[in-house]
Amino acid sequence: MDVATLVGLFGALGVIITSIFIGGSVGTFINVPSLVVVVGGTAMVTLTQVTLAQFIGSFKVGLGAFFYKTTKPEELIEEAVELADTARKEGILALESREIADPFLNTGIGMCIDGHPTEVVQKMLSKDINLTLERQNTGIKTFKAAGDAAPAMGMIGTLIGLVQMLSNMEDPKSIGPAMAVALLTTLYGAVIANAVALPIAEKLRGISASERLNKLLVLESIAAIQDGTNPRVLQQLLTTYLPENRREALVKNGK
Amino acid sequence: MDVATLVGLFGALGVIITSIFIGGSVGTFINVPSLVVVVGGTAMVTLTQVTLAQFIGSFKVGLGAFFYKTTKPEELIEEAVELADTARKEGILALESREIADPFLNTGIGMCIDGHPTEVVQKMLSKDINLTLERQNTGIKTFKAAGDAAPAMGMIGTLIGLVQMLSNMEDPKSIGPAMAVALLTTLYGAVIANAVALPIAEKLRGISASERLNKLLVLESIAAIQDGTNPRVLQQLLTTYLPENRREALVKNGK
Amino acid sequence: MDVATLVGLFGALGVIITSIFIGGSVGTFINVPSLVVVVGGTAMVTLTQVTLAQFIGSFKVGLGAFFYKTTKPEELIEEAVELADTARKEGILALESREIADPFLNTGIGMCIDGHPTEVVQKMLSKDINLTLERQNTGIKTFKAAGDAAPAMGMIGTLIGLVQMLSNMEDPKSIGPAMAVALLTTLYGAVIANAVALPIAEKLRGISASERLNKLLVLESIAAIQDGTNPRVLQQLLTTYLPENRREALVKNGK
Amino acid sequence: MDVATLVGLFGALGVIITSIFIGGSVGTFINVPSLVVVVGGTAMVTLTQVTLAQFIGSFKVGLGAFFYKTTKPEELIEEAVELADTARKEGILALESREIADPFLNTGIGMCIDGHPTEVVQKMLSKDINLTLERQNTGIKTFKAAGDAAPAMGMIGTLIGLVQMLSNMEDPKSIGPAMAVALLTTLYGAVIANAVALPIAEKLRGISASERLNKLLVLESIAAIQDGTNPRVLQQLLTTYLPENRREALVKNGK
Amino acid sequence: MDVATLVGLFGALGVIITSIFIGGSVGTFINVPSLVVVVGGTAMVTLTQVTLAQFIGSFKVGLGAFFYKTTKPEELIEEAVELADTARKEGILALESREIADPFLNTGIGMCIDGHPTEVVQKMLSKDINLTLERQNTGIKTFKAAGDAAPAMGMIGTLIGLVQMLSNMEDPKSIGPAMAVALLTTLYGAVIANAVALPIAEKLRGISASERLNKLLVLESIAAIQDGTNPRVLQQLLTTYLPENRREALVKNGK
């Protein structure tokens, strides 16, 4: 579990709420109709753009941003090098009884054992990567859409409030509070977009990118295992997937 | 029919209208000249950018966003596997009497039966996909253009109202209501763009993308059928088009 | 001639002017110095970005947006199929005496008659398409530049007006009208950009795209004619350039 | 020398200054500290993003936008066709004594005379084009960075002025002039960005694009000369680099 | 060390602080809660989008923008030409005892000495370049995210301040100072984004681009060394990596 996203999200909301508490008069900041316009409106506008399944699924995808567990490339490299070692010594069929932690590596090795030629395995796995990326894109786009809709709904709410205030200015004392309420929807929209929806969309994009890199690493490993590449050469090849300061550690542990 | 877009569109407008009703004074929000400036201006600006045929056609395309029926990839896969099975057992000409639900699959199979070689079929179907995408793009661009024009026309309307108000401020009591009216066009523009035109454009883009994916699935199926691929291998190949949680179901039903 | 652009442009300006007339006090909206700042400034800023020839040429290109006559792909297809028919029956040299309506098709057929091999013809015509696109891009960019400059010059004019008004507020009665004048430049800039320059730029982009499609159709036709393709196969190939609802008509007429 | 950029730049500034003079009170618009914040701040923010050499170099590059002399493609075509003629009649070594006006053409012909094979010459010249483009990009990016920084520094200056004014409002008469001064930085930033930095950046991009086109023309000419292509065919090939209305003239003069 | 970034960053902040001092009342500009909202909020929103390791690492990456030492391409060219010379005269194994200053060149030469064939060396080094670029991208994106979050948090802070002020306007004298405080967060956000975060992001992008160019130069050198290219030809080839005005110097020194 990646704690950064959780800390960041609640930290940002915490900072905003604290700053409201410091100014006193917390009640001013809670206005149910304003909240309904912005949250409801944002949800509806987002729903227009996707299918019902995608809309509901995006909540699950959003949770994934918090509880996603990245496989470290080091673990993948170690596992791939071991498999290459076994395959080289005992043949590729010896991998059948092996338990493989990474599901994508597992699928790929399964294909090799089934006897598909290298190009077929590579083509099918590549397509799997591309189509997975396209599917993950849907989740990212849903949060991005919500992040675009929220400030727009906030502005619409503020415009409604301003029009109501301006067309009824008999009591000068009510102008200030009426404008305060009108501004609330803009505030809600800005918070939802900038502290919640857009950062989660960006986080999902980051997860999608690092998953893609892991899958490319697996793709390369499987090609090497099928070609009977020397495990040491494979390890050297795969370390390029690591930043320079983490390469050393692997070489020390790996030998 | 995809209910999400319909619910989303009317839900968003409903939320906005409700929020106006809660504030009372609904009449303030209806101003025919303002409506004419924004709606008429947006329509005219959009018309400038397209041809008359595209402009009229975009209404039909827009309706498509609500009443579009996506073919589930599962159904396409099932149909393709069955066709591959028949073609393998009885030859490709046996498909002539088959009724094929998907029109693109039907066209492709028709070409195979006419005896065109694989590369020709693939080339013609690929070009069909690309040109269809380009045509769908026109509809998307029309709604995008309307979504860009509406806030601009809203701002122009508000500027006109402000100039009129500012150059004639003899009666201080009229300033408030005059400004309220001036802001109305901005409100109209924001609603048209953010709750109607841009979400529909985005929805059309989503439909276009999922249609493209289905057509790529068909393209791949036809290549496999013409090559006499084993139906089981084809099924395995096509399941990559499904998200992981829907692959299992297909395998269970399909066998 | 495509009437949509003409109607759209004058319609948009008409809607704006009508809305000014409805509010009365039309004279308030005409301010020659403001007009000079925005129109002159926009022209100058645009001129900075291009060469003199491109600047002057862009007026001609802009007119083209109104008076451009698109060749219908149906006509091109018909002409290409006829040529293919003649070429197949009487040899490619029989095309020498034919009058060909489309100039690009004419150039291409001319090259075939001159005896250039297929790859050379294709390469030269492809390059012609790409370079034409690049040149059309210049016109689009000039109008886009004007559309970006106009609101900026409008804002600059308004800032100048505001600074003058704020530094000289002795007569409170003059504040309103002074601010009205200051806002005029923003209004002018918004109208020039959103109702004129940007829609024309977008229209030119659309024309460029449909011209490119027509030229690709010609490119494909010429390759087929040189290869001696069956005219019927060529017609089937070229119908993919049409949207589905226009394919039927062609097939009926064409045979 | 391309007069458009010079006229455009001074014209835009002239229009703005004239509009200030018309309003009288020119002194109000000159405020040295405001000027220092915007100009100094913009320079510093731009400096942060580049190296010292690039920063200083960008002034020279900026001057290039005014005094750049484009080689007309017609001249290049004529020169290339003459060279091709000589090379065909007397062999490529006969070009050694020729003086070649265009330096890039000169370098390329030099390589041919040195006896490098066609692919090597093409590869080296292509790389030269790409790397030149990448270097020109740096100049463009510096002006773009200044154009992005100027409005931001303008806004920062205005915010500083507003905070100072708002926290010290004892004398109501000083509010107007104080706000006028505060707005000056926004005005300065808008002028620097929209009338100077961004148009120059765009102009440099245009120069870079037309230079690239000329170099591609040379690249193609050299390949043709090395292959011993017929000069007439080469001329026909190179005319595609010209817009249609300039092709005729060349054909008339060239023959 | 590249002094421009350091001077630019402190210069920009200096200009802003000076402009505050000139206006007097420096104390008005320091407000701890406002600072906490903007700085804390920006940090939290950025943290949401990355992993903890990336967040902490970005500080180190940010420092790199100031203390990064670019290897001059001239030095790389000289070293590569010397290596090519030795390799040609004494064989590639003679390079084993050479000390090579550039680590990437060193890695590449090491692979050559290990006897890997040219394509393998090129493929591994290319992948190293691509993956390094992808990793550097993470640092750039973190600063970009902070630069996007800061103005948003500034706006949220100002909205909170405005709502508090508007809902409590009993003492008219407090309105000015309260609004001044409210605007402070917008000011902080604008300074953090435009004078710190975004310029550093842009600087990192520039460093990444020039490092990539250097690595491509090394890639090409190693291919030439392995192929036994003439050192003079290699030098001529590599000078295309230099701007024209620096090529002469190299030729003079290099010979």
Side-chain angles (χ1 to χ4, degrees), chain A residues 20 24-31 184 188:
Chain A
I20 287 173
S25 63
V26 182
T28 325
F29 286 88
I30 299 167
N31 184 295
L184 274 186
Y188 293 160

Side-chain angles (χ1 to χ4, degrees), chain B:
Chain B
M1 206 191 89
D2 183 15
V3 85
T5 305
L6 216 64
V7 169
L9 185 79
F10 287 105
L13 294 176
V15 163
I16 292 166
I17 290 168
T18 308
S19 116
I20 287 174
F21 265 95
I22 288 173
S25 62
V26 183
T28 325
F29 286 89
I30 298 167
N31 185 294
V32 175
S34 300
L35 212 58
V36 169
V37 178
V38 180
V39 175
T42 301
M44 286 301 145
V45 168
T46 307
L47 185 60
T48 313
Q49 302 174 41
V50 294
T51 65
L52 200 61
Q54 287 170 342
F55 187 74
I56 294 166
S58 75
F59 290 99
K60 216 180 111 191
V61 169
L63 280 181
F66 299 108
F67 299 113
Y68 178 74
K69 195 175 157 341
T70 343
T71 314
K72 283 199 184 162
E74 278 95 338
E75 293 169 19
L76 283 175
I77 296 176
E78 232 167 280
E79 191 161 30
V81 172
E82 275 174 41
L83 292 173
D85 204 44
T86 311
R88 217 181 181 213
K89 284 185 195 140
E90 313 168 29
I92 213 158
L93 293 178
L95 299 178
E96 197 157 13
S97 55
R98 288 281 299 244
E99 226 173 87
I100 299 171
D102 186 72
F104 191 65
L105 187 55
N106 198 15
T107 310
I109 293 292
M111 285 178 181
C112 301
I113 293 168
D114 287 359
H116 293 292
T118 312
E119 315 86 65
V120 172
V121 175
Q122 291 289 309
K123 197 190 140 201
M124 282 187 65
L125 294 180
S126 302
K127 209 172 54 180
D128 200 336
I129 293 176
N130 290 332
L131 290 167
T132 303
L133 277 176
E134 220 155 304
R135 273 190 300 271
Q136 288 174 335
N137 236 349
T138 307
I140 297 168
K141 269 161 65 181
T142 307
F143 278 91
K144 185 74 178 43
D148 288 347
M153 288 310 297
M155 194 184 80
I156 287 171
T158 296
L159 283 167
I160 291 174
L162 284 178
V163 169
Q164 284 170 340
M165 183 200 84
L166 287 164
S167 62
N168 187 359
M169 300 209 303
E170 269 139 45
D171 177 14
K173 276 202 176 158
S174 73
I175 293 177
M179 224 177 133
V181 171
L183 280 182
L184 274 186
T185 55
T186 297
L187 176 60
Y188 294 160
V191 171
I192 291 173
N194 295 298
V196 182
L198 295 178
I200 290 181
E202 206 48 55
K203 177 72 190 183
L204 291 174
R205 205 190 304 277
I207 289 176
S208 177
S210 80
E211 227 177 278
R212 179 181 148 267
L213 220 56
N214 276 353
K215 289 198 165 176
L216 288 178
L217 193 158
V218 168
L219 199 70
E220 191 141 12
S221 306
I222 287 170
I225 290 171
Q226 248 182 325
D227 290 358
T229 309
N230 183 322
R232 278 198 158 192
V233 173
L234 175 61
Q235 190 186 39
Q236 204 182 344
L237 199 75
L238 295 180
T239 45
T240 45
Y241 283 90
L242 297 175
E244 261 154 73
N245 56 341
R246 273 155 68 187
R247 290 185 193 173
E248 298 281 307
L250 187 84
V251 174
K252 271 181 211 148
N253 293 341
K255 285 186 186 175

Side-chain angles (χ1 to χ4, degrees), chain D residues 158-170 174-175 178-179 182, chain E residues 25 28-29 162 165 172-184:
Chain D
T158 296
L159 284 168
I160 291 174
L162 283 179
V163 169
Q164 284 170 341
M165 183 200 83
L166 287 165
S167 63
N168 187 1
M169 299 210 303
E170 270 139 43
S174 73
I175 292 178
M179 224 176 131
Chain E
S25 64
T28 325
F29 285 89
L162 283 179
M165 184 200 82
K173 279 205 175 156
S174 72
I175 293 178
M179 224 177 131
V181 171
L183 280 183
L184 274 186

